């Protein structure tokens, strides 16, 4: 039972902002939105997470809608090294079920 | 962030042999580690949850006698694929929990001939 829905693939021009959407319409009040990415043949890399406020770090920004049913990950200036599969994951804030359940993700291809 | 290391990164073995993959938390102690498997062009699938000092918890459909997990210390969990077959060829990834956050290893690619 998928908890998130993401487009299968997206392209972005190098140097432009990459906006990756995610729908999580059944998210619960105690669940965070996490974003990870996986470059080919590597382990997943943490990007950012948030509960209801927008978040920004050195890698990306996370915009969460007011109803929390969707979010957008923004890579402000995409580079070729940002080509990867991006996973949007909802995760409880506490409790035993705190492993990450990965969906299909979005394959982002940054084009030169 | 915290560092999780896996070894080996690549391994090739013959059918019927056993292969051990190590997952280490290098700069923190992890009471819980997770093992994932990833087939080509697919997402990560959780195989089992490894708890230090106790038996691992396996996900439905994962054979516990085939995928032996040992978490004998707070910095090391091992996954042993016993009597490996070609269909066990996959990318195996571990993650470790620190302060509620998960950090992933680099992955181990197993090829069974």
């Amino acid at each position: 039972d998928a908890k998130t829905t993401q487009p299968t693939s997206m392209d972005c021009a190098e140097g432009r902002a990459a906006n990756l959407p995610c729908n999580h319409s059944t998210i619960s009040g105690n669940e965070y939105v996490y974003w990870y990415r996986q470059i080919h043949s590597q382990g997943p890399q943490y990007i950012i997470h948030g509960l209801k406020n927008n978040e920004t770090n050195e890698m990306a920004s996370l915009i969460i809608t007011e109803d929390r049913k969707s979010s957008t990950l923004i890579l402000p200036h995409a580079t070729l090294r940002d080509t990867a599969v991006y996973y949007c994951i909802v995760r409880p804030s506490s409790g035993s079920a705190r492993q990450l359940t990965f969906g299909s993700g979005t394959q982002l291809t940054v084009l030169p | 962030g915290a560092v999780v290391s896996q070894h080996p990164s690549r391994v090739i073995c013959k059918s019927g042999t056993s292969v051990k993959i190590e997952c280490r938390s290098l700069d923190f102690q992890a009471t819980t580690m997770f093992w994932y498997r990833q087939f080509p062009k697919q997402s990560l699938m959780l195989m089992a949850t490894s708890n230090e000092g106790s038996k691992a918890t396996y996900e439905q459909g994962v054979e516990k006698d085939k995928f032996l997990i040992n978490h004998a210390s707070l910095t090391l969990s091992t996954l042993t694929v016993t009597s490996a077959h070609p269909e066990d060829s996959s990318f195996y990834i571990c993650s470790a929990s620190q302060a509620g956050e998960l950090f992933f290893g680099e992955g181990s690619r197993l090829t069974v001939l």
Side-chain angles (χ1 to χ4, degrees):
Chain A
D1 201 21
K3 298 202 72 172
T4 64
T5 305
Q6 298 177 253
T8 303
S9 64
M10 293 180 64
D11 292 341
C12 175
E14 187 179 18
R16 304 296 294 270
N19 298 285
L20 293 92
C22 179
N23 287 322
H24 31 78
S25 58
T26 61
I27 192 170
S28 301
N30 69 339
E31 289 180 318
Y32 283 74
V33 179
Y34 278 75
W35 283 84
Y36 280 76
R37 73 180 182 184
Q38 186 180 25
I39 295 169
H40 184 62
S41 292
Q42 296 183 23
Q45 176 190 21
Y46 167 82
I47 301 173
I48 200 167
H49 76 282
L51 183 62
K52 53 183 178 180
N53 297 323
N54 298 337
E55 303 287 345
T56 295
N57 62 20
E58 63 278 6
M59 289 183 68
S61 294
L62 174 61
I63 309 298
I64 302 175
T65 57
E66 193 168 342
D67 63 8
R68 302 213 317 126
K69 292 185 177 181
S70 65
S71 61
T72 300
L73 178 75
I74 301 172
L75 308 179
H77 304 287
T79 70
L80 298 179
R81 287 179 292 182
D82 291 323
T83 292
V85 178
Y86 287 76
Y87 295 99
C88 167
I89 303 166
V90 296
R91 184 178 183 226
S93 60
S94 63
S96 60
R98 297 205 72 225
Q99 73 273 18
L100 292 171
T101 301
F102 287 81
S104 302
T106 295
Q107 171 66 60
L108 174 68
T109 303
V110 180
L111 304 172
Chain B
V3 180
V4 177
S5 179
Q6 284 183 240
H7 178 81
S9 58
R10 292 176 182 269
V11 57
I12 300 173
C13 71
K14 294 181 178 179
S15 284
T17 61
S18 295
V19 174
K20 180 185 287 187
I21 300 170
E22 296 184 345
C23 177
R24 294 182 185 272
S25 53
L26 296 187
D27 50 1
F28 66 101
Q29 294 182 329
T31 55
T32 303
M33 292 184 175
F34 302 97
W35 286 96
Y36 292 82
R37 178 169 55 183
Q38 185 176 35
F39 292 109
K41 298 190 184 301
Q42 294 187 21
S43 189
L44 286 77
M45 295 298 296
L46 180 67
M47 297 176 67
T49 301
S50 170
N51 296 299
E52 187 267 336
S54 64
K55 291 183 178 180
T57 304
Y58 290 81
E59 295 298 302
Q60 190 173 9
V62 178
E63 301 174 59
K64 62 180 181 180
D65 294 330
K66 181 169 183 62
F67 299 98
L68 301 179
I69 292 172
N70 184 281
H71 194 158
S73 79
L74 287 171
T75 59
L76 174 65
S77 175
T78 61
L79 169 68
T80 301
V81 183
T82 63
S83 186
H85 291 284
E87 56 265 32
D88 298 323
S89 298
S90 188
F91 193 50
Y92 292 88
I93 306 168
C94 73
S95 68
S97 176
Q98 187 206 26
E101 301 304 337
L102 291 181
F103 301 92
F104 286 82
E106 316 95 319
S108 299
R109 186 165 301 282
L110 170 64
T111 302
V112 184
L113 302 177

